[in-house]
Amino acid sequence: MRKPVGERRPRQAARTLVLSPEGEVFLFRSDNSEVGVHWNAPGGGIEPGESPVEGALRELHEETGWTDLRPGPLVCTWEHDFTWHGTPVRQHEHIFLTHGPRREPENVAEVHRADGILGWRWWTPDELAAPDADPTWPPNLSTLLAGLRAAAPGPIEPVHLGHVPNTAPAVGN
């Protein structure tokens, strides 16, 4: 049975923001028909029986090959709509923070192809905050990270960003 137009399947996901000692954040480049090119942290759907932390850990290992990092404190949660492998979803994400060395992903080319990851890079705070920077998931990632840096070394109070509607990419430009 097909879902009515506009109805989206709920999907749980978890991501891990990896910060380098220099304050850069590691992000993947993706493309989506509803939002266009954007950057997001390693992560993805939570499998049945997994907690958000377990899902974030599994995804971090699968997408980066880094087995020495663990998701730390919860930074935020948010919801957004997009189409995942042809299925419209409303994704509820848990985003965790960890710190690690600045390095390249290891032995993950096949996973990246399967997940549609187009590339990766380390972003400085200034690059992420630039007015001409590509969009990020969540859209206010630069502001969120600036708040974390300002609060360090104190405890992190996770925020719920609510449902953040997509801004459709410009067509024909």
Side-chain angles (χ1 to χ4, degrees), residues 49-60:
E50 280 184 325
S51 70
V53 171
E54 291 166 338
L57 178 63
R58 177 185 47 76
E59 289 283 343
L60 179 63

Side-chain angles (χ1 to χ4, degrees), residues 3 5 13 18-19 34 45 69-70 90 95 102 160-161:
K3 291 188 177 282
V5 175
V18 180
L19 292 182
E34 291 147 317
L69 299 181
R70 302 283 180 269
R90 172 153 297 172
I95 301 178
R102 189 180 194 284
H160 179 59
L161 304 176

Side-chain angles (χ1 to χ4, degrees), residues 40-81:
N40 56 30
I46 297 172
E47 294 182 357
E50 280 184 325
S51 70
V53 171
E54 291 166 338
L57 178 63
R58 177 185 47 76
E59 289 283 343
L60 179 63
H61 292 176
E62 288 176 1
E63 293 183 349
T64 65
W66 305 333
T67 58
D68 59 331
L69 299 181
R70 302 283 180 269
L74 179 66
V75 172
C76 73
T77 58
W78 74 300
E79 295 177 4
H80 59 112
D81 299 333

Side-chain angles (χ1 to χ4, degrees), residues 26-30 38-40 105 112 116-121:
F26 179 83
L27 299 175
F28 287 127
R29 183 174 185 259
S30 299
H38 62 280
W39 294 82
N40 56 30
H112 286 195
I117 295 171
L118 305 175
W120 60 270
R121 71 174 272 208

